[in-house]
Amino acid sequence: MAHDNSYVDKKFNVVGTRFNRPDGIDKVTGKARYGADASAPGQLVGKVLRSPHAHAQILKINTSKAEKLQGVKSIITFEDLPDLTGADQGMADILENCMARGRALYDGHAVAAVAAVDEQTAAKALKLIDVKYKKLPHVTDVDEAMLPTAPIIHDRIFTRGVEPKPTKPSNISSRTEMGNGDIEAGFAEADIIVEHSFKTEQTHQGYIEPHACLASVNPDGTAELWVTTQGHFVFRNVCAGLLGLDIAKLKVTSSEIGGGFGGKTHVWVEPVALALSRKANRPVKMVMSRDEVFRATGPTSSTSIDVKLGAKKNGRITAAIAELRYQGGAFPGNWAMLGCMTAFACYDIKNNKSIGWDVLVNRPKVTAYRAPSAPMAAFAVESAMDILAKELGMKAIDVRLKNVAREGTLAPYGPTYGPIGIEDTLKAVKAHPHMRAKLKPNQGRGVACGFWFNIGGQTSTDLNIGVDGTVNLAVGTVDVGGSRSSLAMIAAEELGIDYEDVKANIADTTSLGHNDMTEGSRGTFSSGMATIYAAREAIEVLKQRAAQTWGIPVEDVAWEAGHAVATGKGHGNLPKLSLREIAAKSGRTGGPIAGHNEVTADGAGMGFASHICDVEVDPETGRSTIVRYTVVQDAGKAINPDYVEGQFQGGATQGIGWALNEEYIYGDDGRLQNPGFLDYRIPVCSDLPFIDTKILEIPNPNHPYGVRGVGETSIVPPLAAVANAIANATGVRMGHAPMSPPRVLAALDALDAG
Amino acid sequence: MRYETPASAKEAAGLLKKEKGAAFLLAGGTDLLVKLKMGIVEPDLVVDIKRIPKISDIQSSAKGFTIGAAVSGAELGEHAGLKKAWPGVVEAANLIGSDQIQGRATLPGNLCNASPAADSVPALIAAGAKAVVVGPLKKRTVPVEKVMIGPGKTSLAKGELIEAITLPKAEPRSGDAYLRFTPRTEMDIAVVGIAISLKLERGVIKKARVVLGAVAPTAIVVAAAARAIVGSKLDDKALDKLAAACSAACNPIDDKRGTIEYRVRVAGVLAKRAAKIAFQRAGGSL
Ligand SMILES: Cc1cc2nc3c(=O)[nH]c(=O)nc-3n(C[C@H](O)[C@H](O)[C@H](O)COP(=O)(O)OP(=O)(O)OC[C@H]3O[C@@H](n4cnc5c(N)ncnc54)[C@H](O)[C@@H]3O)c2cc1C
């Protein structure tokens, strides 16, 4: 059955109201089972030996002493994970990141792993493994890594995207360029030109639950993996590929997830656990320590960015150029490319250009972090917008409105926008009482905008109706932010029944078709679409059963408010049949009633937001306190407003943490100095005011309910919103994030010194 | 690993003395258990003092206060008399960690963990606190500033432990205050800490003690800083001199928590602020 994804404006009964999440009780009572909460008979404990060096050749790994330790059941090195990746360099990188192959590429890179009967034995065994290293020169800074004198991390990498083709290997894995118009002509037209350089430090997603899994591989090639993940189907495919297993024989079950924000889109210890289990022929459980999470799982890039804007006196921007350098850790990524795509996406600028440099350094392999790469680009561009506004003598918000992207604007990265919400968010900000609230001494207010694409992708959903009329919804996108509630609401809306009559579950990989990850803010968009279609399929079955019961053609049956209604001429006196009544008779009318859907959800709606931030800066210590914060974002349609607001608040909080204090600190030895929550300073509750939110709903034309993604955009504006607020409070322009007290104090001193 | 719960401080001392392997005293455990879990310490013996009678009591007398070695930060914060007499000591102790940590953390634990950044230590020193040290054979009383001798090191001999902390009676028209700088509001380690205790006579500072934390291997008593404000009504000139003396006394390290330059600078800033609070608490008007 073909389904139409067009938006239809209609009145909702369930969608748009607020319900508690179905996983709530389990979570607040501690019953919820996370990655570390599974166990199996005979299970072993797995632990990883990690490189203490930023860059080193591994001359020899001697495991013989550890093997002799009582209780040790298997020890693996790269030799136990043979390279089956063929020509797929991306998979080869994942494999090498899971276990070093001849060279340790960063502090924390896995070198060997042990499975033993208990934790103490495993820890003891790690100490007995003797690794001979030869230290190599290292580089951890993105700008230094680009210098011709920098130590080369992979001599197989030659910069892509430059002409002529380079003959020497480089840490620059690729150069990207994109944009529209004639940049030189644009600057020639400008009355005013502003230029500034920015740096952002590396941050981690900081989810509270560390990576954890329980793996079990049998000699016949069947295997199971229980794991905390944002996408168990993708983990299945990747792990099967790396270990040479058949996809259908590896069953992956996703546990409850204690945060991911992109960090759980990637495998880290899971292939290692499977390899340990295969060798020991016993189940192996692995739980990373916080130290390991920081040192060896995907943080986001540190960056260095230059921005130049040219404008007419009336505020119209004639040209914009950005050069963005992003490090992806010890493996190539496309992070700078994403930075290029998002940098100017909020604006309608005739002549624009973005040049991206993807760079390798001796740091952990970067992975997605909530709207990956966009916050850094926005920090630079949105700060530059304020610098421009100041030069023009215009209000920062008016310069933005003057140049705002609208439906029909050609986006810098190619497409022409459909209906988008950036102008509405700016207007809502302008009208918000927050903008008129009085500021106290040493306080300043900043505004910034943000963009994220949002994505769709492959989804598969099953809906089964029980004989009592209650409904099981099986979905394959992991519930990270409350999507089970939203999807159950959507099913209830379509079927015309109560929310309480639908139970949504995350199915394992053997029970559904492939589902892409919960990433790119796609969960509710794509699974919501598949749920609508699955429910509509089920309604067709329900109508058939009613027609059969009544003995009339199915064309004469309609579905209204949870009931089959006879509509054709002459059937007027048939009493309507409820879903519950039809379900009760299903055993006699043709068996179980179900609907299912497999779809590649196209047409994700872009997400735009504008934030307002008030900050107070202590002029004597440089310490900044956020005193008020407001998020305005276009959700398309807020299925469950509670969780939409939660996403807005969470993203803003993470962005504020990044803006103020969060950063990876590396020593001269290339080792990470703060792999723990004490010195990697995520904001605590008392650091933040209540984050106020305002949901706008500009429907996405490519979703039946108008849904856009809402999970990521909210982390994009805060870095610049805070920087702009600090600039307005103190007169100093902070070009280096996080804007920690020592950095702000140094900038204040420099200002005083003139 | 063995775990013992002796019935007296003397018995605890004997157990510690006798042990040939690594022996540790356990008070609140907020440092010890963290180190144990991280594999930094591998004790053969843990001696828990919390079952010792009266060790969790705060006693007040005409001479001052005796705070048992197992009294938690939360209990200090709930003791009205102590808060009135030594608000700076209590606010320092209450800055340690979070609510959960406050339910456990003790003053001797903070002192004997011997971190240069320990929050309660500068305040105790400024207040003239003493440690009652019990050994297997004898008992001695030492000023708190004599206990910590370097990062992770104390002057306690093998088998010695602190049974209680004593605070003198607060003099009339005296006040104390503790301030620390941390990037976050809580769950953070002091980048700079400063305690000031002072006494007024007719609105003029008669006596003062100024103690810095987190800017040297141990908390430091800055006599020059005290001299800078004694005899003053805490006018701007005295405050500037105080700040300069505090900055000059700093001997910090450059680390992930703060640069040398920053620590030196902020020590002066906080000194002024803490002095003003102590001054007002002593009844002085600015
Ligand atoms: C999350 C967290 C946050 C923290 N925040 C702070 C902070 O903000 N500021 C701060 O200063 N500290 C902080 N700490 C450290 C710690 O909480 C304090 O140092 C606390 O005061 C230690 O007291 P305790 O009773 O828990 O010590 P324990 O862990 O029981 O003991 C610490 C050490 O002292 C020894 N010891 C304990 N009692 C005695 C005694 N009576 N005689 C001799 N030796 C003894 C022990 O053997 C051990 O070596 C924090 C710790 C955690 C885990």
Side-chain angles (χ1 to χ4, degrees), chain A residues 678, chain B residues 16 23-35 49 69-70 92 95-98 101 104-115 117-120 156 160-164 180 187-190:
Chain A
L678 194 54
Chain B
L16 292 172
F24 288 89
L25 201 79
L26 174 71
T30 60
D31 280 313
L32 189 66
L33 296 191
V34 174
K35 288 183 184 168
I49 57 168
L95 277 173
I96 296 173
S98 59
I101 299 294
R104 294 250 135 191
T106 66
L107 294 174
N110 199 218
L111 178 59
C112 296
N113 182 56
S115 156
D119 280 308
S120 71
L156 300 186
E160 281 190 325
L161 64 117
I162 296 174
E163 181 186 45
R180 70 170 185 183
M187 294 301 284
D188 217 335
I189 301 296

Short mmCIF file of all heavy atoms in Angstrom, two decimals, chain A residues 678, chain B residues 16 23-35 49 69-70 92 95-98 101 104-115 117-120 156 160-164 180 187-190, ligand 1:
data_model
loop_
_atom_site.label_atom_id
_atom_site.label_comp_id
_atom_site.label_asym_id
_atom_site.label_seq_id
_atom_site.Cartn_x
_atom_site.Cartn_y
_atom_site.Cartn_z
N LEU A 678 35.12 15.40 37.59
CA LEU A 678 35.56 16.43 38.52
C LEU A 678 36.26 17.56 37.77
O LEU A 678 36.03 18.73 38.05
CB LEU A 678 36.51 15.82 39.56
CG LEU A 678 36.80 16.66 40.79
CD1 LEU A 678 35.51 17.08 41.48
CD2 LEU A 678 37.68 15.88 41.76
N LEU B 16 46.22 0.09 63.98
CA LEU B 16 46.99 0.72 62.90
C LEU B 16 48.48 0.46 63.08
O LEU B 16 49.22 0.20 62.12
CB LEU B 16 46.74 2.24 62.87
CG LEU B 16 45.34 2.71 62.47
CD1 LEU B 16 45.20 4.21 62.69
CD2 LEU B 16 45.05 2.37 61.00
N ALA B 23 47.70 0.14 56.07
CA ALA B 23 46.54 0.32 56.95
C ALA B 23 45.97 1.71 56.78
O ALA B 23 46.71 2.68 56.69
CB ALA B 23 46.97 0.10 58.39
N PHE B 24 44.65 1.79 56.74
CA PHE B 24 43.99 3.10 56.58
C PHE B 24 42.87 3.27 57.57
O PHE B 24 42.10 2.33 57.82
CB PHE B 24 43.41 3.24 55.17
CG PHE B 24 44.45 3.43 54.12
CD1 PHE B 24 45.02 2.32 53.49
CD2 PHE B 24 44.88 4.69 53.76
CE1 PHE B 24 45.99 2.48 52.52
CE2 PHE B 24 45.85 4.86 52.78
CZ PHE B 24 46.41 3.76 52.17
N LEU B 25 42.79 4.48 58.08
CA LEU B 25 41.67 4.83 58.91
C LEU B 25 40.51 5.20 57.99
O LEU B 25 40.71 5.83 56.96
CB LEU B 25 42.05 6.02 59.80
CG LEU B 25 41.17 6.15 61.02
CD1 LEU B 25 41.63 5.14 62.07
CD2 LEU B 25 41.25 7.55 61.58
N LEU B 26 39.31 4.84 58.39
CA LEU B 26 38.13 5.19 57.60
C LEU B 26 37.22 6.08 58.44
O LEU B 26 36.75 5.66 59.49
CB LEU B 26 37.38 3.92 57.18
CG LEU B 26 36.05 4.12 56.47
CD1 LEU B 26 36.25 4.66 55.06
CD2 LEU B 26 35.27 2.81 56.40
N ALA B 27 37.00 7.30 57.96
CA ALA B 27 36.02 8.17 58.61
C ALA B 27 34.79 8.19 57.70
O ALA B 27 34.09 7.20 57.59
CB ALA B 27 36.61 9.54 58.84
N GLY B 28 34.56 9.30 56.97
CA GLY B 28 33.42 9.34 56.05
C GLY B 28 33.66 8.50 54.81
O GLY B 28 32.71 8.07 54.14
N GLY B 29 34.92 8.30 54.48
CA GLY B 29 35.25 7.48 53.31
C GLY B 29 35.12 8.18 51.98
O GLY B 29 35.30 7.57 50.93
N THR B 30 34.84 9.47 51.99
CA THR B 30 34.60 10.14 50.70
C THR B 30 35.90 10.35 49.91
O THR B 30 35.85 10.59 48.72
CB THR B 30 33.88 11.48 50.88
OG1 THR B 30 34.67 12.34 51.69
CG2 THR B 30 32.51 11.29 51.52
N ASP B 31 37.02 10.27 50.58
CA ASP B 31 38.29 10.22 49.85
C ASP B 31 38.78 8.78 49.72
O ASP B 31 39.15 8.33 48.65
CB ASP B 31 39.38 11.03 50.58
CG ASP B 31 39.27 12.52 50.32
OD1 ASP B 31 39.12 12.89 49.14
OD2 ASP B 31 39.32 13.30 51.29
N LEU B 32 38.75 8.08 50.84
CA LEU B 32 39.34 6.74 50.86
C LEU B 32 38.64 5.78 49.90
O LEU B 32 39.29 5.06 49.14
CB LEU B 32 39.31 6.17 52.30
CG LEU B 32 40.10 4.87 52.46
CD1 LEU B 32 41.59 5.13 52.27
CD2 LEU B 32 39.85 4.23 53.82
N LEU B 33 37.33 5.77 49.93
CA LEU B 33 36.62 4.80 49.08
C LEU B 33 36.79 5.11 47.60
O LEU B 33 36.84 4.21 46.77
CB LEU B 33 35.13 4.74 49.46
CG LEU B 33 34.82 4.23 50.87
CD1 LEU B 33 33.34 3.96 51.03
CD2 LEU B 33 35.62 2.98 51.22
N VAL B 34 36.89 6.40 47.28
CA VAL B 34 37.12 6.77 45.88
C VAL B 34 38.48 6.24 45.43
O VAL B 34 38.61 5.63 44.36
CB VAL B 34 37.04 8.31 45.72
CG1 VAL B 34 37.43 8.72 44.31
CG2 VAL B 34 35.64 8.82 46.06
N LYS B 35 39.48 6.42 46.29
CA LYS B 35 40.83 5.94 45.94
C LYS B 35 40.87 4.42 45.86
O LYS B 35 41.58 3.85 45.03
CB LYS B 35 41.84 6.43 46.97
CG LYS B 35 42.10 7.92 46.85
CD LYS B 35 43.16 8.36 47.83
CE LYS B 35 43.33 9.86 47.75
NZ LYS B 35 44.12 10.39 48.84
N ILE B 49 36.29 4.23 62.26
CA ILE B 49 36.16 4.84 63.60
C ILE B 49 34.73 5.17 63.99
O ILE B 49 34.47 5.60 65.11
CB ILE B 49 37.00 6.14 63.71
CG1 ILE B 49 36.58 7.15 62.63
CG2 ILE B 49 38.49 5.84 63.65
CD1 ILE B 49 37.14 8.54 62.84
N ALA B 69 35.80 13.10 65.62
CA ALA B 69 36.41 12.85 64.31
C ALA B 69 35.44 12.26 63.28
O ALA B 69 35.76 12.18 62.11
CB ALA B 69 37.62 11.94 64.47
N ALA B 70 34.26 11.84 63.72
CA ALA B 70 33.32 11.28 62.73
C ALA B 70 32.14 12.21 62.46
O ALA B 70 31.20 11.85 61.77
CB ALA B 70 32.82 9.91 63.19
N ALA B 92 33.11 26.72 55.30
CA ALA B 92 34.17 26.00 54.57
C ALA B 92 33.86 24.52 54.53
O ALA B 92 33.93 23.88 53.47
CB ALA B 92 35.52 26.26 55.23
N LEU B 95 31.14 23.57 52.17
CA LEU B 95 31.40 23.68 50.72
C LEU B 95 31.90 22.36 50.14
O LEU B 95 31.92 22.18 48.93
CB LEU B 95 32.47 24.76 50.46
CG LEU B 95 31.97 26.20 50.40
CD1 LEU B 95 33.15 27.14 50.33
CD2 LEU B 95 31.07 26.39 49.18
N ILE B 96 32.30 21.45 51.00
CA ILE B 96 32.87 20.19 50.52
C ILE B 96 31.81 19.39 49.77
O ILE B 96 30.77 19.05 50.35
CB ILE B 96 33.45 19.37 51.68
CG1 ILE B 96 34.63 20.13 52.33
CG2 ILE B 96 33.89 18.00 51.22
CD1 ILE B 96 35.16 19.49 53.60
N GLY B 97 32.09 19.11 48.49
CA GLY B 97 31.25 18.21 47.71
C GLY B 97 29.82 18.68 47.54
O GLY B 97 29.56 19.82 47.19
N SER B 98 28.90 17.77 47.83
CA SER B 98 27.48 17.97 47.57
C SER B 98 26.70 17.49 48.79
O SER B 98 27.30 17.09 49.77
CB SER B 98 27.08 17.12 46.37
OG SER B 98 27.38 15.76 46.70
N ILE B 101 27.87 14.04 49.81
CA ILE B 101 29.20 14.07 50.43
C ILE B 101 29.10 14.66 51.84
O ILE B 101 29.73 14.19 52.78
CB ILE B 101 30.18 14.89 49.57
CG1 ILE B 101 30.34 14.25 48.18
CG2 ILE B 101 31.54 15.05 50.25
CD1 ILE B 101 30.98 12.91 48.15
N ARG B 104 28.63 12.63 54.95
CA ARG B 104 29.71 11.73 55.37
C ARG B 104 31.02 12.44 55.72
O ARG B 104 31.70 12.06 56.67
CB ARG B 104 30.03 10.75 54.21
CG ARG B 104 28.92 9.80 53.91
CD ARG B 104 29.30 8.40 54.34
NE ARG B 104 28.22 7.74 55.04
CZ ARG B 104 28.36 6.59 55.71
NH1 ARG B 104 29.53 5.99 55.75
NH2 ARG B 104 27.34 6.06 56.33
N ALA B 105 31.38 13.42 54.91
CA ALA B 105 32.73 13.99 55.00
C ALA B 105 33.02 14.59 56.38
O ALA B 105 32.18 15.26 56.97
CB ALA B 105 32.90 15.08 53.94
N THR B 106 34.23 14.35 56.88
CA THR B 106 34.63 14.85 58.21
C THR B 106 35.77 15.85 58.08
O THR B 106 36.47 15.90 57.07
CB THR B 106 35.12 13.69 59.09
OG1 THR B 106 36.32 13.16 58.52
CG2 THR B 106 34.07 12.59 59.20
N LEU B 107 35.98 16.61 59.15
CA LEU B 107 37.10 17.57 59.20
C LEU B 107 38.45 16.85 59.22
O LEU B 107 39.33 17.17 58.42
CB LEU B 107 36.95 18.50 60.40
CG LEU B 107 35.76 19.46 60.38
CD1 LEU B 107 35.66 20.22 61.71
CD2 LEU B 107 35.86 20.44 59.22
N PRO B 108 38.67 15.86 60.12
CA PRO B 108 39.96 15.17 60.10
C PRO B 108 40.24 14.45 58.78
O PRO B 108 41.39 14.37 58.34
CB PRO B 108 39.86 14.17 61.26
CG PRO B 108 38.82 14.74 62.16
CD PRO B 108 37.83 15.41 61.25
N GLY B 109 39.18 13.95 58.16
CA GLY B 109 39.35 13.30 56.85
C GLY B 109 39.85 14.30 55.83
O GLY B 109 40.77 14.03 55.05
N ASN B 110 39.26 15.48 55.84
CA ASN B 110 39.67 16.53 54.92
C ASN B 110 41.13 16.92 55.17
O ASN B 110 41.92 17.09 54.24
CB ASN B 110 38.74 17.74 55.11
CG ASN B 110 38.74 18.72 53.96
OD1 ASN B 110 38.67 19.92 54.16
ND2 ASN B 110 38.85 18.24 52.73
N LEU B 111 41.48 16.98 56.45
CA LEU B 111 42.84 17.37 56.84
C LEU B 111 43.86 16.27 56.50
O LEU B 111 44.91 16.55 55.93
CB LEU B 111 42.83 17.66 58.35
CG LEU B 111 44.14 18.05 59.02
CD1 LEU B 111 44.70 19.32 58.39
CD2 LEU B 111 43.90 18.29 60.53
N CYS B 112 43.52 15.02 56.83
CA CYS B 112 44.49 13.94 56.66
C CYS B 112 44.57 13.43 55.22
O CYS B 112 45.54 12.79 54.84
CB CYS B 112 44.17 12.78 57.61
SG CYS B 112 44.35 13.27 59.32
N ASN B 113 43.54 13.70 54.43
CA ASN B 113 43.67 13.39 53.00
C ASN B 113 44.78 14.24 52.42
O ASN B 113 45.39 13.90 51.41
CB ASN B 113 42.34 13.67 52.31
CG ASN B 113 42.38 13.31 50.85
OD1 ASN B 113 42.69 12.18 50.50
ND2 ASN B 113 42.09 14.28 49.98
N ALA B 114 45.03 15.38 53.08
CA ALA B 114 46.18 16.24 52.80
C ALA B 114 46.23 16.75 51.37
O ALA B 114 47.28 16.74 50.72
CB ALA B 114 47.47 15.53 53.19
N SER B 115 45.08 17.20 50.89
CA SER B 115 45.08 17.86 49.58
C SER B 115 45.37 19.35 49.81
O SER B 115 44.83 19.94 50.73
CB SER B 115 43.71 17.71 48.93
OG SER B 115 43.49 18.76 48.00
N ALA B 117 44.18 21.64 48.32
CA ALA B 117 42.95 22.40 48.05
C ALA B 117 41.84 22.11 49.07
O ALA B 117 40.72 22.57 48.89
CB ALA B 117 42.45 22.08 46.65
N ALA B 118 42.13 21.36 50.13
CA ALA B 118 41.10 21.00 51.12
C ALA B 118 40.42 22.27 51.64
O ALA B 118 41.09 23.21 52.06
CB ALA B 118 41.72 20.24 52.26
N ASP B 119 39.11 22.29 51.60
CA ASP B 119 38.39 23.52 51.91
C ASP B 119 38.36 23.88 53.40
O ASP B 119 38.44 25.05 53.76
CB ASP B 119 36.95 23.43 51.40
CG ASP B 119 36.89 23.72 49.90
OD1 ASP B 119 37.42 24.76 49.49
OD2 ASP B 119 36.32 22.89 49.17
N SER B 120 38.22 22.88 54.26
CA SER B 120 38.03 23.23 55.67
C SER B 120 39.35 23.64 56.33
O SER B 120 39.34 24.31 57.36
CB SER B 120 37.39 22.07 56.44
OG SER B 120 38.31 21.01 56.60
N LEU B 156 51.47 12.90 61.17
CA LEU B 156 51.07 11.83 62.09
C LEU B 156 52.02 10.64 61.94
O LEU B 156 52.36 10.26 60.82
CB LEU B 156 49.63 11.37 61.81
CG LEU B 156 48.52 12.42 61.94
CD1 LEU B 156 47.16 11.77 61.77
CD2 LEU B 156 48.60 13.17 63.25
N GLU B 160 49.09 6.75 64.69
CA GLU B 160 48.41 7.92 65.23
C GLU B 160 47.16 8.26 64.42
O GLU B 160 47.14 8.08 63.20
CB GLU B 160 49.35 9.12 65.24
CG GLU B 160 50.33 9.10 66.41
CD GLU B 160 51.08 10.42 66.55
OE1 GLU B 160 51.39 11.06 65.53
OE2 GLU B 160 51.37 10.80 67.69
N LEU B 161 46.18 8.80 65.14
CA LEU B 161 44.98 9.26 64.45
C LEU B 161 44.43 10.48 65.18
O LEU B 161 44.78 10.73 66.34
CB LEU B 161 43.93 8.16 64.39
CG LEU B 161 43.37 7.69 65.73
CD1 LEU B 161 41.88 7.99 65.81
CD2 LEU B 161 43.62 6.21 65.89
N ILE B 162 43.58 11.20 64.49
CA ILE B 162 42.96 12.36 65.12
C ILE B 162 41.64 11.93 65.74
O ILE B 162 40.80 11.33 65.05
CB ILE B 162 42.74 13.50 64.09
CG1 ILE B 162 44.10 13.99 63.58
CG2 ILE B 162 41.95 14.65 64.71
CD1 ILE B 162 44.01 15.00 62.45
N GLU B 163 41.49 12.23 67.01
CA GLU B 163 40.27 11.83 67.72
C GLU B 163 39.22 12.94 67.65
O GLU B 163 38.02 12.68 67.61
CB GLU B 163 40.63 11.54 69.18
CG GLU B 163 39.47 11.10 70.03
CD GLU B 163 39.91 10.97 71.49
OE1 GLU B 163 40.60 11.88 72.00
OE2 GLU B 163 39.57 9.96 72.11
N ALA B 164 39.71 14.17 67.66
CA ALA B 164 38.78 15.31 67.65
C ALA B 164 39.51 16.56 67.18
O ALA B 164 40.74 16.61 67.19
CB ALA B 164 38.21 15.55 69.04
N ARG B 180 36.05 30.41 48.43
CA ARG B 180 36.90 29.69 47.48
C ARG B 180 36.49 30.07 46.08
O ARG B 180 35.35 30.51 45.85
CB ARG B 180 36.79 28.19 47.67
CG ARG B 180 35.44 27.63 47.24
CD ARG B 180 35.45 26.11 47.22
NE ARG B 180 34.18 25.60 46.69
CZ ARG B 180 33.88 24.32 46.61
NH1 ARG B 180 34.73 23.41 47.03
NH2 ARG B 180 32.72 23.93 46.11
N MET B 187 30.50 20.76 43.51
CA MET B 187 31.17 19.59 42.94
C MET B 187 32.42 20.02 42.18
O MET B 187 32.62 19.68 41.02
CB MET B 187 30.23 18.83 42.00
CG MET B 187 29.05 18.21 42.71
SD MET B 187 29.56 17.06 43.99
CE MET B 187 30.03 15.67 43.00
N ASP B 188 33.23 20.80 42.84
CA ASP B 188 34.42 21.31 42.18
C ASP B 188 35.53 21.45 43.22
O ASP B 188 35.25 21.46 44.41
CB ASP B 188 34.10 22.67 41.54
CG ASP B 188 34.81 22.84 40.21
OD1 ASP B 188 35.85 22.19 40.01
OD2 ASP B 188 34.32 23.63 39.39
N ILE B 189 36.75 21.56 42.78
CA ILE B 189 37.88 21.66 43.69
C ILE B 189 38.40 23.10 43.65
O ILE B 189 38.53 23.68 42.58
CB ILE B 189 39.01 20.70 43.24
CG1 ILE B 189 38.49 19.25 43.23
CG2 ILE B 189 40.24 20.83 44.14
CD1 ILE B 189 38.08 18.69 44.56
N ALA B 190 38.70 23.64 44.83
CA ALA B 190 39.13 25.03 44.92
C ALA B 190 40.33 25.31 44.03
O ALA B 190 41.31 24.57 44.03
CB ALA B 190 39.46 25.37 46.36
C1 LIG C 1 32.35 14.07 44.89
C2 LIG C 1 33.35 14.61 45.85
C3 LIG C 1 33.45 15.98 46.02
C4 LIG C 1 34.37 16.49 46.92
N1 LIG C 1 34.44 17.85 47.06
C5 LIG C 1 35.34 18.38 47.92
C6 LIG C 1 35.43 19.77 48.09
O1 LIG C 1 34.67 20.53 47.51
N2 LIG C 1 36.37 20.25 48.95
C7 LIG C 1 37.21 19.43 49.64
O2 LIG C 1 38.05 19.94 50.40
N3 LIG C 1 37.14 18.09 49.50
C8 LIG C 1 36.23 17.55 48.67
N4 LIG C 1 36.15 16.18 48.51
C9 LIG C 1 37.07 15.33 49.29
C10 LIG C 1 36.50 14.76 50.58
O3 LIG C 1 35.11 14.70 50.56
C11 LIG C 1 36.94 15.56 51.81
O4 LIG C 1 38.34 15.60 51.85
C12 LIG C 1 36.39 14.99 53.11
O5 LIG C 1 36.48 15.94 54.12
C13 LIG C 1 37.11 13.74 53.56
O6 LIG C 1 36.54 13.29 54.78
P1 LIG C 1 36.16 11.76 55.02
O7 LIG C 1 35.70 11.68 56.42
O8 LIG C 1 35.21 11.29 53.99
O9 LIG C 1 37.58 11.10 54.83
P2 LIG C 1 37.99 9.59 54.54
O10 LIG C 1 37.84 9.27 53.11
O11 LIG C 1 37.37 8.67 55.51
O12 LIG C 1 39.54 9.72 54.88
C14 LIG C 1 40.41 10.52 54.10
C15 LIG C 1 41.85 10.24 54.53
O13 LIG C 1 42.11 10.70 55.84
C16 LIG C 1 42.42 9.63 56.70
N5 LIG C 1 41.68 9.89 57.94
C17 LIG C 1 40.34 10.06 58.04
N6 LIG C 1 40.01 10.35 59.31
C18 LIG C 1 41.14 10.38 60.01
C19 LIG C 1 41.45 10.62 61.38
N7 LIG C 1 40.49 10.89 62.26
N8 LIG C 1 42.73 10.55 61.78
C20 LIG C 1 43.71 10.27 60.90
N9 LIG C 1 43.49 10.03 59.61
C21 LIG C 1 42.22 10.09 59.15
C22 LIG C 1 42.00 8.39 55.99
O14 LIG C 1 42.79 7.28 56.36
C23 LIG C 1 42.19 8.76 54.56
O15 LIG C 1 43.52 8.60 54.18
C24 LIG C 1 35.22 15.64 47.64
C25 LIG C 1 35.10 14.26 47.47
C26 LIG C 1 34.18 13.75 46.59
C27 LIG C 1 34.07 12.27 46.42
#
